[in-house]
Amino acid sequence: MIIVENYLMQRISVGLLIAAAVLLPLFSFFDLIEQMDDVGEGFYRMQDAFYIVLLLLPRRLIQLLPFIALIGNVVALGLLALSSEITAMRAAGLSPAKISLASFKIGLCLLLLLGLLEQFAAPYTQSKAIAHRLEALNQSAELGEDLGIWTRDENRVLRLGEAIRAAYVEDVEIFTLDEQGLLDQHIHAQGADIISNARWNLHDVTVKEINGARLSTRTFARMDWIPFLSSEQVATLTRPAESLSPTDLYRHILYLKKTGQQHDEISLAYWRKYGAGLIMLAMLLLSVPFVFGSIRTGIGTRLVLAGITGICVYLLDQIFSNAGLLLNLNHALVALAPGLFLMLVGSLWLQRVP
């Protein structure tokens, strides 16, 4: 049986490679079309579009892995069914559950790949893609609808307007509060160079101080400021939550909790990293019952049904996540429930296969 299982794993691996070779270039082509809309703006050229699409490949692969698992497994096992190899295996005593075990072992390898991409490759390359695109377009990142990004520590509130590049931000405001929570000082700077984690250099600075009923105003061309945010935390604030690694998200959640700030969306994004792994394993489990009976209905029909299932799973995950945020449900439950539910459905469906 070990030989048969190894053979199954080899064929499933080939099926996954085929699915990846089809889906990844297809969706990368869609990304390229989207990037081409900006060609000609600023210094953005065709080579920049190709470079950005290349940098986004690890993130795109992460997003497509559940569909690659579903389609690839259906292709691999469907081809084995067409050549009557599945029939021979079942005649030799190999049950659908044991066939699914081979898929599950491949899924564990994919889970390891997913973890490595999420932690190391995708955050780095996506960050480079965002920075390169903004630089090529000669524009800044919009951090909010004219509101910017707000954060604080115990008695200071910081607003960042626009991130031009990794070490420079525009339109900076710093509010200092007294022990009663009243405004004590307001600093506004046109921009700030992030020199190090312990020093920002503000320029075109206006400082307003409130002493009782008296307001004093001073201006400076340059002024050093000791921040309460590191450059890594600034990068975390100015990047989409999806682009951050699980470690960065966890550190950011701890920081938000420590400073008493809202962290629902960040926490949900963190747990969805793990939920994506469960959904991928569930897709492998769901794909096995699709294969049995494929000789009668044809592998093409099974692939279409598998594709529709994948789309439904994606929509289910999105709807459940948004509903969880609105209803203020437990973030771990919201993120992990779809994958666990689908694994249960796949297991029950597999037991009903004759």
Side-chain angles (χ1 to χ4, degrees):
M1 287 299 176
I2 295 178
I3 296 176
V4 175
E5 188 174 280
N6 289 337
Y7 177 71
L8 275 172
M9 292 173 65
Q10 179 185 1
R11 300 297 294 178
I12 292 169
S13 299
V14 172
L16 295 175
L17 289 174
I18 292 173
V22 173
L23 293 177
L24 196 56
L26 177 62
F27 281 86
S28 295
F29 178 69
F30 293 151
D31 290 337
L32 181 61
I33 292 175
E34 183 179 350
Q35 294 298 324
M36 286 176 65
D37 290 339
D38 295 322
V39 171
E41 295 186 20
F43 299 100
Y44 198 83
R45 300 293 180 262
M46 181 63 75
Q47 56 266 34
D48 296 308
F50 279 99
Y51 181 59
I52 288 172
V53 170
L54 183 64
L55 289 174
L56 291 176
L57 277 178
R59 178 60 60 193
R60 181 58 70 188
L61 179 57
I62 288 172
Q63 295 169 344
L64 290 175
L65 266 179
F67 301 96
I68 290 173
L70 179 65
I71 301 299
N73 208 29
V74 171
V75 168
L77 297 181
L79 292 175
L80 290 176
L82 285 175
S83 61
S84 300
E85 290 179 82
I86 290 291
T87 304
M89 291 177 188
R90 297 199 62 186
L94 201 67
S95 65
K98 290 183 179 179
I99 293 174
S100 68
L101 184 61
S103 299
F104 191 77
K105 288 182 178 179
I106 292 294
L108 294 179
C109 296
L110 289 178
L111 201 59
L112 177 61
L113 173 63
L114 179 65
L116 292 174
L117 288 173
E118 279 283 16
Q119 182 63 39
F120 301 107
Y124 173 74
T125 58
Q126 189 170 0
S127 177
K128 286 197 67 174
I130 293 171
H132 183 84
R133 184 175 184 276
L134 294 174
E135 184 178 353
L137 287 171
N138 195 24
Q139 67 180 35
S140 61
E142 292 293 337
L143 303 182
E145 296 183 4
D146 301 322
L147 297 177
I149 288 290
W150 294 74
T151 186
R152 67 178 176 86
D153 66 354
E154 292 181 358
N155 67 330
R156 290 180 296 178
V157 178
L158 172 66
R159 186 186 75 86
L160 305 176
E162 296 179 335
I164 302 298
R165 53 184 184 272
Y168 181 77
V169 289
E170 268 193 357
D171 190 18
V172 178
E173 287 187 279
I174 305 154
F175 303 84
T176 303
L177 309 178
D178 60 20
E179 294 181 355
Q180 286 75 38
L182 301 175
L183 183 63
D184 185 53
Q185 183 189 66
H186 174 259
I187 300 174
H188 178 266
Q190 295 296 329
D193 294 304
I194 302 176
I195 308 300
S196 67
N197 288 341
R199 179 189 168 204
W200 286 17
N201 186 254
L202 311 179
H203 63 83
D204 297 325
V205 186
T206 301
V207 179
K208 296 181 179 180
E209 293 183 340
I210 301 174
N211 297 311
R214 183 181 175 185
L215 175 67
S216 61
T217 303
R218 292 175 295 164
T219 59
F220 303 90
R222 292 275 178 177
M223 187 179 82
D224 283 346
W225 179 64
I226 300 174
F228 56 87
L229 288 177
S230 66
S231 56
E232 292 80 10
Q233 288 172 321
V234 172
T236 298
L237 286 171
T238 57
R239 285 162 55 192
E242 182 197 50
S243 69
L244 301 174
S245 69
T247 302
D248 288 337
L249 283 172
Y250 182 70
R251 289 173 180 167
H252 192 41
I253 291 169
L254 292 180
Y255 166 75
L256 293 176
K257 286 182 177 180
K258 182 180 178 181
T259 55
Q261 299 182 66
Q262 183 65 255
H263 58 87
D264 287 349
E265 291 187 13
I266 302 297
S267 180
L268 181 60
Y270 171 75
W271 283 107
R272 287 192 70 186
K273 302 279 187 183
Y274 298 96
L278 285 178
I279 288 176
M280 184 188 63
L281 292 176
M283 290 290 207
L284 283 169
L285 196 59
L286 282 171
S287 63
V288 176
F290 275 107
V291 175
F292 297 99
S294 62
I295 296 177
R296 297 191 301 270
T297 59
I299 190 172
T301 303
R302 297 290 175 175
L303 282 173
V304 171
L305 292 174
I308 294 173
T309 300
I311 293 171
C312 291
V313 168
Y314 173 79
L315 293 175
L316 170 68
D317 183 47
Q318 294 294 318
I319 292 171
F320 201 74
S321 296
N322 291 325
L325 275 178
L326 289 173
L327 299 175
N328 198 26
L329 300 177
N330 181 274
H331 303 134
L333 176 65
V334 169
L336 302 180
L340 293 173
F341 173 73
L342 291 170
M343 291 185 74
L344 176 63
V345 170
S347 300
L348 294 176
W349 190 9
L350 199 59
Q351 291 177 7
R352 295 177 61 89
V353 173

